[in-house]
Amino acid sequence: MSGSAEAEQGQSRESATSSVAVLDQSLWTQFHGAGSAQDFVRAWLGLQCRHIPGAAAAAVVLGEPETGPFTPAATWPRSEEVSAEARLAVDRAIEQGQGVAISGAGRGPGTVAHPVMVDGRLYGAVAVTLAAQGAAPAEAMRQLQWGIGWLEALLRREQGASDAALHDRTERALAILAVVLEQRRFRSAASALVTTLAARLDCGQVAIGFRRRKRSRVAALSHASGFGRKMNVVRDIGHAMDEALDQNDIVLYPQPGHWDYRVTRMHEELADAQKAGSVLTVPLQANGDLVGAITFERPKGRPFDEETVELADTVASMVGPVITEIRKNDRKLLTKAAEVVWNQVTAILGPRYIGRKLATVAAAVLIWLALTVTGDFEVAAPAKLEGAIQRTVVAPFEGYIQSATVRAGETVDEGELLATLNDQDLLLERLRWQTSRRQREIEFDRALAEGERAEASIIRSQIAQADAQLALIDAQVERTRIVAPFDGIVVSGDLSQSIGGSVARGEELFKVAPVGDYRVVIEVDEADLAEIAPGQTGQLRLAAQPDAPLGFTVTAITPVASQADGRNFFRVEAALDGSDAWLRPSMEGVARVSIDERLVVEIWTRRMVNWLRLATWQWRP
């Protein structure tokens, strides 16, 4: 009996070994002959679990690199769903970017998980739950690290195929875009686009339309110079475009089973009307807004595949901004202006654009203020004080300064000595003429005594000449004393540093002006002269006391221009309304002449407007 039992056990072990070998061979066959990525992952996961002793369950989650979402791509055994422990391990591996091990709750040593990384980018993770008598977690982790290389190879292969397909789609889309860019007008560009798309995408008819007032209007049909009798077709195409634009998505009729649900009623009606087998509509975008759509039609028996849909989407994404810009630039100038105005009005009256609304309100307030607020118009110009009467004291003859008793800024009384000239030469000349007169008197007495009347008459004339010279010299001696012509203040002149110096006849020595009697001299720019008239009033502020305004009244305008500091100005005289003790001649400041009351905006822009008028007049043909 014991021999028979041992024989049966041997046969059982041989049968199990044979079954395992058959199962492994089947998995390797599926792995090598996988027709899709999903079959490849399933077969790989089965082989992986066969090489990890005690593997109870396993799962692979994959998704978009880095962003996800990461969803189950394969489970083992297939009948089981991803357990809570496996999901937790996967989440931790994805979050930490490295392998993790979680202790089991009761039936096994736990669960190990490892992320799937390709070129530093996270694509997902693999988790394996171990049975109680299974391999150690470290051994299972090493097996996962070795086996994940197959998944990396799969992902690289798929990425390469995807990149190649994208490159091909991009090249074809750029070729179509080049056809559009060759056209300068919108109509020709739209016609060239739909005709090229119909030929290269093997479509029976292609249409492009643009949205206007929430309705799509067909702009061009392939192989058609005009719509003519196709108005019903154009209307149906427009409705199909609206259907896609309202859903903001690509619409394909008949809709593939794996696509998300979309409304396709208008596309179905268009297909029935055109006897078409498939209708595809791709929205056009420009600057983030939906501007139109392209509708493709194919006859029965030639449905749109995924590659064609992706190519159409790529073309639309490239062509949309370009043909929209061509369309905008090809419109009439009046239409462009109307659109700009309408967009601004919509932005102001519609939602959002708070900044633009505030700016519009501020501009409206400023315009209202500019049209209503008035102010006092004044002409400002440099000004200085002068004495109402100003006397210049000059040298009466050539001579030398002997003394000086006053200098500029001092007040003097009428007849007060200002300076003296040296009179030594005059006194010597007077002595000479006195001696000559006495000699002539002796000669005159002798001639009378001798009875020479003719000679006596000549000598009498010489005596008269000497008397005249003496009178002249006495007058000159008197004039060596320079005195003040009236009570006032010395405005200029300081001879204290010129004692002994020579002066010429008529040379200015002093200027004297009366105290308390002043006039204002305003240097009005020639651009403002037309605004000035006698009788106008204003205020003067001097640099000595800028906080003390002085009133004045314009009295005269000097019709002679002067130039200084690069400007041309006229001298305007004005009389002060009062006088203060601190005023002095030659003080300078700024005068403002009150003209009238005007709009503030007119006051601010007056100079610019006058300059524009002059420039326009100068360059006018």
Side-chain angles (χ1 to χ4, degrees):
M1 291 293 294
S2 61
S4 176
E6 290 178 359
E8 289 180 358
Q9 290 179 358
Q11 292 178 359
S12 177
R13 283 194 298 270
E14 290 178 359
S15 176
T17 303
S18 176
S19 298
V20 169
V22 171
L23 178 59
D24 287 346
Q25 183 65 34
S26 175
L27 289 174
W28 279 107
T29 301
Q30 294 177 13
F31 182 69
H32 287 292
S36 65
Q38 187 175 12
D39 294 339
F40 182 93
V41 173
R42 287 176 178 173
W44 172 86
L45 185 60
L47 287 173
Q48 192 73 9
C49 292
R50 294 290 302 163
H51 286 81
I52 299 177
V60 177
V61 294
L62 298 174
E64 291 296 325
E66 298 295 335
T67 59
F70 300 104
T71 58
T75 59
W76 186 88
R78 293 187 184 181
S79 58
E80 293 190 6
E81 296 182 354
V82 181
S83 64
E85 293 180 359
R87 172 56 69 179
L88 178 60
V90 164
D91 292 342
R92 288 187 181 180
I94 291 175
E95 180 180 358
Q96 299 176 13
Q98 61 183 7
V100 297
I102 300 177
S103 300
R107 64 170 183 169
T111 302
V112 295
H114 196 279
V116 180
M117 307 285 290
V118 178
D119 296 331
R121 302 177 68 190
L122 180 66
Y123 280 76
V126 180
V128 177
T129 301
L130 302 174
Q133 303 300 323
E139 181 182 353
M141 185 68 71
R142 285 194 298 272
Q143 182 64 35
L144 280 181
Q145 291 174 347
W146 174 85
I148 283 178
W150 290 98
L151 291 183
E152 293 180 3
L154 170 67
L155 295 174
R156 289 181 184 277
R157 184 179 64 188
E158 287 193 334
Q159 185 63 42
S162 176
D163 292 344
L166 177 60
H167 180 71
D168 179 66
R169 288 197 304 271
T170 303
E171 281 190 349
R172 297 173 67 182
L174 287 174
I176 296 174
L177 179 61
V179 175
V180 176
L181 291 174
E182 291 176 355
Q183 311 300 321
R184 302 186 61 179
R185 305 303 297 269
F186 168 68
R187 291 295 180 186
S188 58
S191 298
L193 172 63
V194 294
T195 302
T196 304
L197 286 174
R200 299 193 179 184
L201 271 66
D202 192 22
C203 297
Q205 181 172 269
V206 178
I208 184 172
F210 292 88
R211 212 163 210 195
R212 183 181 178 187
R213 298 176 184 176
K214 299 182 179 181
R215 294 291 182 185
S216 297
R217 290 173 170 77
V218 177
L221 287 173
S222 60
H223 309 296
S225 59
F227 301 154
R229 301 178 181 178
K230 299 183 178 181
M231 295 308 298
N232 292 334
V233 175
V234 170
R235 181 195 59 199
D236 293 340
I237 294 174
H239 291 166
M241 291 179 177
D242 289 335
E243 189 172 60
L245 293 174
D246 290 341
Q247 298 177 80
N248 191 17
D249 208 341
I250 299 174
V251 175
L252 174 60
Y253 174 81
Q255 180 173 301
H258 62 279
W259 279 33
D260 295 336
Y261 175 76
R262 295 175 180 85
V263 178
T264 59
R265 178 183 174 185
M266 296 295 103
H267 286 71
E268 183 179 359
E269 292 182 0
L270 176 62
D272 293 341
Q274 291 287 92
K275 307 299 181 182
S278 298
V279 178
L280 170 68
T281 299
V282 181
L284 289 174
Q285 291 191 7
N287 299 322
D289 298 327
L290 293 174
V291 297
I294 303 177
T295 299
F296 305 82
E297 299 178 18
R298 274 186 174 180
K300 295 180 180 180
R302 290 187 309 198
F304 290 97
D305 53 15
E306 292 290 339
E307 182 180 354
T308 305
V309 173
E310 290 180 358
L311 175 59
D313 188 25
T314 304
V315 171
S317 63
M318 288 186 178
V319 171
V322 175
I323 198 166
T324 300
E325 191 66 23
I326 296 175
R327 176 172 173 260
K328 288 182 178 180
N329 293 334
D330 198 35
R331 294 175 302 172
K332 297 180 180 179
L333 183 61
L334 184 61
T335 304
K336 296 180 182 179
E339 183 183 12
V340 171
V341 173
W342 175 253
N343 291 339
Q344 296 299 324
V345 172
T346 303
I348 293 172
L349 300 181
R352 299 178 299 171
Y353 301 103
I354 300 300
R356 191 171 301 183
K357 291 179 173 63
L358 293 177
T360 303
V361 172
V365 171
L366 290 176
I367 293 174
W368 178 79
L369 292 176
L371 296 176
T372 57
V373 177
T374 60
D376 294 331
F377 173 47
E378 298 176 333
V379 172
K384 65 179 180 178
L385 281 182
E386 289 184 358
I389 301 174
Q390 186 166 284
R391 184 71 59 82
T392 301
V393 180
V394 300
F397 49 80
E398 293 184 0
Y400 298 91
I401 300 173
Q402 183 174 351
S403 65
T405 57
V406 297
R407 63 180 62 181
E410 298 183 7
T411 57
V412 295
D413 298 327
E414 183 179 357
E416 182 177 345
L417 182 64
L418 302 179
T420 59
L421 300 179
N422 192 315
D423 59 355
Q424 184 177 359
D425 291 343
L426 292 175
L427 294 177
L428 291 174
E429 184 70 12
R430 188 175 187 279
L431 180 60
R432 186 177 69 81
W433 281 103
Q434 283 179 344
T435 304
S436 177
R437 187 180 186 283
R438 291 192 187 99
Q439 185 179 357
R440 294 294 181 271
E441 286 179 346
I442 294 172
E443 292 177 357
F444 179 74
D445 292 341
R446 182 183 58 79
L448 287 178
E450 293 177 357
E452 296 180 0
R453 295 182 178 279
E455 184 178 355
S457 176
I458 293 172
I459 295 172
R460 184 183 296 113
S461 299
Q462 291 177 347
I463 293 173
Q465 180 182 4
D467 290 339
Q469 288 294 334
L470 289 171
L472 177 60
I473 292 173
D474 290 340
Q476 289 179 337
V477 170
E478 180 65 25
R479 295 176 65 185
T480 57
R481 299 179 72 255
I482 310 298
V483 297
F486 48 76
D487 296 341
I489 184 172
V490 179
V491 177
S492 65
D494 183 5
L495 303 180
S496 61
Q497 304 299 321
S498 303
I499 302 300
S502 63
V503 293
R505 181 178 181 180
E507 182 179 342
E508 179 182 314
L509 302 180
F510 300 96
K511 278 187 179 181
V512 182
V515 178
D517 191 6
Y518 302 102
R519 63 181 174 183
V520 182
V521 177
I522 309 171
E523 298 176 354
V524 178
D525 192 278
E526 62 178 346
D528 301 324
L529 188 64
E531 306 287 351
I532 306 298
Q536 293 174 337
T537 60
Q539 285 189 336
L540 169 68
R541 291 181 184 265
L542 298 173
Q545 290 195 22
D547 57 341
L550 303 172
F552 64 82
T553 303
V554 176
T555 57
I557 301 174
T558 304
V560 178
S562 301
Q563 292 81 28
D565 300 330
R567 68 189 189 97
N568 199 34
F569 61 88
F570 288 80
R571 177 187 174 102
V572 175
E573 297 182 1
L576 286 175
D577 296 341
S579 179
D580 291 335
W582 58 271
L583 295 178
R584 294 292 183 271
S586 299
M587 284 186 172
E588 296 184 351
V590 176
R592 301 185 70 90
V593 182
S594 298
I595 308 301
D596 53 20
E597 186 174 357
R598 300 182 184 180
L599 291 174
V600 173
V601 66
E602 182 181 355
I603 297 174
W604 291 345
T605 60
R606 183 179 62 89
R607 287 185 178 273
M608 182 182 66
V609 171
N610 290 340
W611 179 86
L612 289 175
R613 288 174 178 171
L614 188 61
T616 303
W617 170 261
Q618 179 182 1
W619 297 104
R620 189 177 68 182

